Amino acid sequence: CFFFFSSRRRHTRCSGVSWARRCVQETGIIMAAPSTKSGFVKRVLSGSSIILFGPVGPDGLPKEKTLYLCNVSAPRFTESIEEPLGYKAREFLRSRVAGKTIEFTTEYKQTTREFGRIFVGKDDLGTLLLEEGLGKVFVDVETRYKCSNFETYQNAESQAKKDKKGIWAGEATQSEVRSAITSQSPTYNPEAIVEALKKEDLDGIVEAYVSGVYQVYLPTHNTIINVALPFIQTPILNQKHGQLLRVFSERATLSRDVKLHFVSFNQQSGQFVCEIKVGGTSMVNELLTNGWAKVSQTVLTESGPEKFKELKAAQEVAQNKGLRIWSEYKVNKSTKKITTGIFEARVVEVHSGDSATVQAISGGEPQRVFFANVRAPAMGNPKKGEVDKPLAFEAKEYARKLLIGRKVRVEIEYSREIPSKQENEVSMTLVFATLWVEDKNVSEQIVLNGFAKVNVPRVDEEFTKYLQQLTEAEEVAKKQKKGVHQPGDIPVHRVNDISSQKNPQKIKQFTEFLKDEKKLSGVIDVVLSGQRFKVRLTTQNCYIIVNIHGIRCLPNDKNIPGYEKFSNEALKFSKEQFLQRDCEIEVEHCDNRGIIHANVFIQKKNAAALLLEAGLAHVHTVGKATVKHIDIYRTVEGAARADKKGIWSGKVQLDFTAPGKKSAGYKTLSQNQRALVSEIADATSFYIQDPTSKQLGEIEELLSEFDEDKFGRLEPPIKVGTPCVTQFSGDGQYYRSKITKLHGAQDKYKVEFFDYGNSEDKEGKSLRKMPPQLINLEAQAKHCRLAYLKVAPYDHDAGEDAANYFREITWERKLQADLEYLDNDTYGILLYPIGQGDLTKSINALMIANGFARISSCLLYTSDAADDLLCVDLGGRRIIKKK
């Protein structure tokens, strides 16, 4: 939208010198010749002020201006001050101009304010406001300016006074204030709003947009709530991109009437997660189709396959056009559908009794084909409240057992172009084909068994060359009264969806019931990730979420080089090998999220072993949990390591310690190194570096030339354990680090500079992805404690003295460290001055001799060194009191 100048003038006041110059001379106020312009209304602030978008500037962002009605003032309506009828006046103006391009004039400017007239069609909104008694006529005391419509304004005001409208109605109007409830109000009740949203979509007005969060006023509850959009992520590539996204969102939603469709409530942030619809159009879909957002990986588990496919289709519109975040996205030409000819393929998924997805043996992406002139009962869409048609489940099951994973001959019959309903949508091509399995016509077999009817074509429609055979098969099914041709009502097969259960405790109880069976038969209905599936249990007739026990595939984390690639490869592998296959599962346990961990077998083959063999997973154990087939898994993993398959190719960092947790166990060591203490938390916890190592200098040299624009910001969701590069506040230099703590919804994180050991809090915008050449290099600082000792911690009576003494005898000194043991990622060390090997002169002994430590009573710490230190302990001068 642009401001433009018109040759039309509402009035002119020119004689001799120009009118504008004479106004400046007389009043000192800048007067503008009131020519008509147009602009898009971004936001309505009050009954007499609006914000307009103007022409795009050199930075690509539209200019903005706030325009106040000239000679007309409405009751004040701001966040801090609300006068009677202020909301009603704002609504009067908002209902006429919000989200529209309007005409206006600028009458004069005073400091930062601009005053003018606003028109909708031929109507002057100042006049309309005054006629309703929602404003007063005023003359600025400094400018004394009166617009050409001033007399009309006075007449409108006089009539409203006479009719006692609005503000002229007397005391009756004094109570007409909105006084909206906010999250800071004592009467704020989000639970009631959640319950209302669960029952129906609620109407609202978008009051503001701040950093991806919409502030929406709900008239039915007189409450302003914070709303976040579901299902999508909005990566901020740079500052300009973020500003353009803000403009897009503000233009589409501010001051607009919307409907909120509830998805969830975030207890931590207090945000309502809702789809926002403006005029029936979802903002989620708008952001996706315009390239401002991408589909979140959690959609499939949160809302199911159908919603996922819908959003993916919207995203592909932007991908195909290379819009915004997809500007460097390259459309894979191999995804083009084969719409003619005959080709060999393998069936990778069956969607219904009359459609399947096939993968050409020659390569390319999978494509969906519909069986020509065959119509099976339709599968329902639970998200839309649609249920399966009778025999829809049975028809799909028949086709699945007949086709899944098998090699077929695909004979393309015809295709149809489905035109898009909206301008920004890509038209869809439906491909109709006949599939052959071992010289048997699949469509004919489905019709013959009564799982589909023949779809007789119209005269002007294309049709399969095998229509006669299909018609004959249908007649046989009718005579035998099979399937869809049987008389009477046919019951609908229903499956209990335990996977959608929101109460993990109930799933745990159900898991105990399942564990009574040694092996459960089922079907892998959906592949959610390389190791997680939605399984339909045959005997129990229910859906559950199953995670393969004892292994883990790499997470789809774009912040770690290689993780996304191998995560997608594992997903592709599992879809090709496991999707819709019959399976057997051995239930192990159910975690706190309601995910059932189990051993999964496909055609007697262990699914975990197959993933390990392909190098797409690694052995993973948690705590004391036993893994039944652990020996097999380690053998197969070892072979994949030796062959450098998949994740073992050396192209990705492999740190399999669970994020935020320590590796379990204790083991003795016999190592020594030069040591430089790089960070001291207190006398019980410190870090050492090896000053003889050249690697630290190489790392620092590489980071001295770090380009933050080349390596983008970390992409959400940012997890504990994610490696990154950020600046240390002490010197402004870049260092390697990792996330150790998330600070709620504040976009702040605690990071540890693991080459040194120190930590600090950082904002999300300052965290950059780590270059691949740095990510595989080991941490240059080791977390240590003094071996065999119990040292006074900082909060102990002697803790501060102990820390100060330890710093005094170690800081910036050349030391020698004997690494005695490793206990939960912390090294127990004996620390000596360089050239000293006498245990009695070690740092450990000095701490004991000065009363800041004693020998630990833990039986794990038994060695000759511990015995020698015990002798030193007996001569200690201070007793450490237990708290």
Side-chain angles (χ1 to χ4, degrees), residues 172 179 208 360 448 450 465 603 730:
S179 298
L448 187 63
K465 62 176 70 71
Q603 295 178 346

Side-chain angles (χ1 to χ4, degrees), residues 784-800:
C784 302
R785 65 168 168 246
L786 294 173
Y788 312 120
L789 302 189
K790 182 175 180 59
V791 185
Y794 198 81
D795 58 356
H796 189 275
D797 292 344
E800 186 174 354

Side-chain angles (χ1 to χ4, degrees), residues 525-560:
D525 194 67
V526 179
V527 173
L528 302 172
S529 70
Q531 71 196 52
R532 185 169 295 177
F533 316 130
K534 183 177 181 179
V535 177
R536 173 169 52 83
L537 297 180
T538 306
T539 303
Q540 291 74 16
N541 192 39
C542 66
Y543 291 113
I544 60 174
I545 298 296
V546 170
N547 200 79
I548 298 180
H549 186 57
I551 67 164
R552 175 176 285 178
C553 300
L554 297 188
N556 195 335
D557 192 338
K558 293 186 177 180
N559 295 315
I560 307 178

